[in-house]
Amino acid sequence: MSVSTTEKLVPRPPFSESTTDLILRSSDGIDFHVYRVVLCLASSVFRDMVGLAQPEDENMPTVRMAESGVVLDRILRFWYPGSEPVVENLGQLREILELLIDKYDVKAVVPVGKQFLRGYIESQPVGVFAVAARHGWEDLAFSAAQESLRLPLRSSSYRPPDELKYVSGIIHHSLIQYHYRCGEAARKACVCFIQSPPNWAYKLFDCTCTTHSDVTVWFFDYVHSFGDLVALTPSDRNAHDLMAKALKEATKCKTCSGAAHDGFPSFVSIKLLPLLAAKIAEVNLNLNGLGENDVPRSAPARIRKPRF
Ligand SMILES: [Zn+2]
């Protein structure tokens, strides 16, 4: 349920039970009724806070919390027995996880936290990367970094998500490094393809007409331009303009027109994209921000150079 910051929050079950033995009072004066034993089991930080609770209204031991009622409601509902997590967006999830894990040391929320975070990976991969990396969840950070390869992170038009404000420069740098290295691996794969095309490329796209020569010009122009594109957006799959331009050029002669319409789109999806994906898969993510040349010789497996 959404609660605006202007309306007074009224605690709902299970925090409205007056039969409990402790009150958590939010910074804006809203009382959440909880059981001491539940908080003590959750973390040593809560246990210490409960131990310092002083009786206030109605002689009920009360802990004054720094969080507002709205925030306290969210962080309690994320793990307290008898309630369900209420998370409306990635920003709320980031705050919930930071408070519960970093401030209150409630480690039990990590699995459900990662599960919720994974739900944003397609729509907000960079934000998910930032939150995962901050908590040291390397597996999830790597998945999010891979997902971010379809975004032009290094272009002037890219608008970074708020979640990046809450991570170190080293973590942000590690993402940009990874993105750059993947772009270079994909671009080099295209360059390598142009410099020494496999035999099947000759069979598929060879043309001896006067417009085109050897392995067809429009075909190599496409691969070259695609290399420039993936250098900035390593897993771009929407190069429709490049495809349209290549097909238009191919229709200038009968030989190329037939080859292009029969085999070119499938060449891209079956041959070129898997080749680039394989090269990108060789690139590793280093959350410590190490550059390619900073990796010690004793640990060469961390980053493997594409072999060109
Ligand atoms: Zn031709």
Side-chain angles (χ1 to χ4, degrees):
M1 186 181 73
S2 175
V3 179
S4 79
T5 52
T6 52
E7 70 183 276
K8 177 88 172 175
L9 182 138
V10 178
R12 291 174 291 122
F15 309 117
S16 52
E17 300 288 336
S18 57
T19 56
T20 59
D21 55 9
L22 184 73
I23 288 174
L24 298 181
R25 182 164 292 163
S26 69
S27 60
D28 47 356
I30 298 166
D31 289 351
F32 292 77
H33 292 257
V34 294
Y35 289 98
R36 291 187 209 209
V37 65
V38 175
L39 266 69
C40 290
L41 286 171
S43 82
S44 57
V45 176
F46 276 140
R47 189 160 57 241
D48 292 345
M49 290 170 64
V50 169
L52 296 172
Q54 295 296 318
E56 292 195 13
D57 306 341
E58 302 169 19
N59 229 18
M60 180 79 85
T62 302
V63 178
R64 291 181 177 268
M65 306 291 285
E67 291 76 27
S68 69
V70 171
V71 173
L72 192 53
D73 189 67
R74 279 190 206 124
I75 66 172
L76 286 173
R77 283 188 191 284
F78 203 77
W79 64 275
Y80 195 89
S83 61
E84 288 188 356
V86 178
V87 182
E88 294 174 339
N89 54 56
L90 183 56
Q92 287 183 8
L93 182 61
R94 176 201 59 75
E95 184 181 46
I96 289 167
L97 294 177
E98 276 180 27
L99 288 170
L100 286 176
I101 297 171
D102 295 351
K103 183 175 180 181
Y104 294 115
D105 198 30
V106 185
K107 293 188 174 68
V109 302
V110 169
V112 70
K114 291 175 81 170
Q115 186 184 338
F116 266 80
L117 192 55
R118 195 168 276 112
Y120 292 100
I121 202 166
E122 279 193 26
S123 60
Q124 297 166 77
V126 177
V128 170
F129 168 83
V131 177
R134 180 191 164 99
H135 292 290
W137 301 336
E138 291 193 19
D139 52 344
L140 193 47
F142 187 47
S143 296
Q146 288 177 309
E147 198 67 31
S148 79
L149 296 177
R150 60 184 165 77
L151 302 175
L153 299 194
R154 291 169 281 126
S155 79
S156 58
S157 61
Y158 179 72
R159 187 171 174 275
D162 286 347
E163 286 71 30
L164 279 177
K165 293 177 186 170
Y166 302 90
V167 298
S168 69
I170 288 292
I171 285 177
H172 186 198
H173 180 68
S174 71
L175 177 64
I176 298 300
Q177 279 270 318
Y178 172 77
H179 196 272
Y180 170 75
R181 289 204 300 269
C182 288
E184 279 299 285
R187 185 188 64 79
K188 286 177 182 175
C190 289
V191 170
C192 181
F193 186 92
I194 293 168
Q195 288 173 346
S196 53
N199 285 336
W200 55 260
Y202 280 100
K203 287 176 189 167
L204 266 179
F205 303 110
D206 191 12
C207 181
T208 55
C209 75
T210 52
T211 306
H212 309 124
S213 60
D214 201 10
V215 174
T216 316
V217 173
W218 61 264
F219 173 72
F220 276 1
D221 277 351
Y222 174 87
V223 178
H224 186 79
S225 300
F226 194 65
D228 290 342
L229 180 73
V230 292
L232 294 175
T233 317
S235 65
D236 195 300
R237 294 288 182 272
N238 299 310
H240 300 307
D241 291 348
L242 295 180
M243 175 70 78
K245 185 181 170 192
L247 290 174
K248 186 179 177 184
E249 177 63 29
T251 55
K252 290 181 179 176
C253 92
K254 281 186 179 176
T255 308
C256 285
S257 181
H261 286 93
D262 290 346
F264 186 54
S266 59
F267 152 78
V268 173
S269 59
I270 295 172
K271 298 284 187 181
L272 189 60
L273 295 183
L275 174 70
L276 268 54
K279 293 300 178 187
I280 287 173
E282 294 181 0
V283 181
N284 289 304
L285 170 70
N286 296 298
L287 286 179
N288 55 13
L290 283 177
E292 196 168 16
N293 297 324
D294 300 330
V295 177
R297 287 181 181 275
S298 57
R302 236 3 221 165
I303 296 175
R304 282 168 288 170
K305 289 184 181 177
R307 289 186 294 275
F308 295 122

